[in-house]
Amino acid sequence: MEPESASQIEDAVDAPRPAATFVSQADREKWIPLQYPVAFDGKVWDRIRIRRISAKELRDFLGALGDGFVMPPVIDCPIEVWDGMDADDQTEVDEAAIEFMPKRLRAAAEALIASGSQPAPAVEREG
């Protein structure tokens, strides 16, 4: 067996690690239509995708909470769209998103919506 060359070793180090993926995508996302579409950056947002998230996305989200309001990763739109959205459309998205949130977040999200509390000013999430 021949020893590996330096370039072979570098290629192996630089190779991306395989990623785990969900076997089934069924029931992992849902589109919420907006009654009042929003235009942003050349695109009209007439619906918002909500989706289930991975354990890593949950960890990253929980780690960023100390920085103020961070978009929950279950809601898939830019913060500018979120901030510019009609309040009733935002409520519809919030309520639909609860069923896609991990159990750890559901109770807190339901309490926040029920209280009518407004979150702190938004902080753009890394993505």
Side-chain angles (χ1 to χ4, degrees), residues 9-10 18 28 30 46 55 62 66 81 93 95 105 116 118:
I9 293 171
E10 286 176 15
R28 294 202 53 83
K30 180 178 181 178
D46 60 355
L62 293 174
V81 171
V93 173
E95 290 174 351
L105 296 181
Q118 293 296 316

Side-chain angles (χ1 to χ4, degrees), residues 49-64:
R49 181 175 74 129
I50 55 174
R51 62 187 180 83
R52 295 196 53 79
I53 60 172
S54 69
K56 180 180 183 333
E57 289 173 306
L58 176 60
R59 273 193 321 273
D60 292 347
F61 172 69
L62 293 174

Side-chain angles (χ1 to χ4, degrees), residues 30-32 34 45 47-50 75-77 81 85:
K30 180 178 181 178
W31 290 91
I32 308 303
L34 300 181
W45 292 78
R47 62 187 187 152
I48 303 295
R49 181 175 74 129
I50 55 174
I75 300 172
D76 197 9
C77 72
V81 171
M85 196 182 300

Side-chain angles (χ1 to χ4, degrees), residues 6 16 20-21 24-25 42-43 62-63 71 79-80 82 86 93 99 101 112 116 120 127:
T21 58
S24 172
Q25 293 299 317
K43 177 181 176 183
L62 293 174
M71 281 290 294
I79 193 69
E80 294 85 358
W82 183 253
D86 180 83
V93 173
E99 71 183 79
M101 289 185 178
L112 184 64

Side-chain angles (χ1 to χ4, degrees), residues 5-26:
S5 71
S7 64
Q8 288 173 319
I9 293 171
E10 286 176 15
D11 288 345
V13 170
D14 292 340
R17 292 182 51 140
T21 58
F22 292 99
V23 175
S24 172
Q25 293 299 317

